[in-house]
Amino acid sequence: MGWSLGYDSNWSRDIGYGVPAICDHPDCNKKIDRGLAHICGGEPYGGESGCGLYFCANHLYVAKGPIRCAQCMDGHSPFIAKPDHPDWIVWKLEHASWQQWRDENPAEVERMKSTLAAMSATPLAAETIKEPK
Ligand SMILES: [Zn+2]
Ligand SMILES: [Zn+2]
């Protein structure tokens, strides 16, 4: 069963293991994908008890029930969903398979371009070129 690409209308994001993403934990920039292995709640949209955000293995916990993030484990409100990974934004903005989507969603295309511009102003890539303290 393929679940490479879907859409999460709760968080308004593309999901599936075909979607590169950044761990939704606020202090984490680890690159993951939005597949089932990374979702809080263990199923698309988070199921009954998860928030449906996506986390790296360090930020998912197993106790009773499905894998979940710390916020859901503790019954707190979820973290804020992060913007898409720049790789994914570039893919959607440039790849031929997204041409029809771009034609149909010009406002979304503009929004993604400005997200990307904001990201390059404060690059995630900084974590790899950070100077030692
Ligand atoms: Zn959660
Ligand atoms: Zn993480």
Side-chain angles (χ1 to χ4, degrees):
M1 263 292 286
W3 195 64
S4 66
L5 178 62
Y7 189 73
D8 179 345
S9 51
N10 284 342
W11 292 107
S12 304
R13 303 198 296 185
D14 298 304
I15 56 172
Y17 62 78
V19 181
I22 304 152
C23 174
D24 278 316
H25 191 284
D27 299 329
C28 185
N29 281 332
K30 194 168 166 59
K31 189 177 179 183
I32 55 172
D33 62 69
R34 293 207 186 117
L36 285 175
H38 296 289
I39 192 167
C40 172
E43 54 183 287
Y45 321 117
E48 303 258 302
S49 54
C51 58
L53 295 177
Y54 291 82
F55 299 92
C56 72
N58 288 337
H59 292 117
L60 283 168
Y61 307 91
V62 183
K64 288 174 186 151
I67 53 168
R68 282 178 291 172
C69 72
Q71 294 296 100
C72 293
M73 280 287 180
D74 295 342
H76 297 313
S77 52
F79 293 123
I80 307 292
K82 286 187 183 174
D84 287 326
H85 195 284
D87 288 357
W88 181 246
I89 298 179
V90 169
W91 173 260
K92 280 183 84 171
L93 288 176
E94 293 179 0
H95 196 263
S97 63
W98 286 90
Q99 183 62 53
Q100 190 186 347
W101 180 87
R102 288 193 295 270
D103 292 344
E104 291 168 356
N105 298 278
E108 186 71 1
V109 167
E110 285 311 308
R111 193 189 63 78
M112 290 176 78
K113 282 180 181 166
S114 49
T115 302
L116 200 57
M119 279 176 171
S120 35
T122 51
L124 271 176
E127 81 188 288
T128 54
I129 53 173
K130 204 181 275 177
E131 289 177 25
K133 285 188 179 145

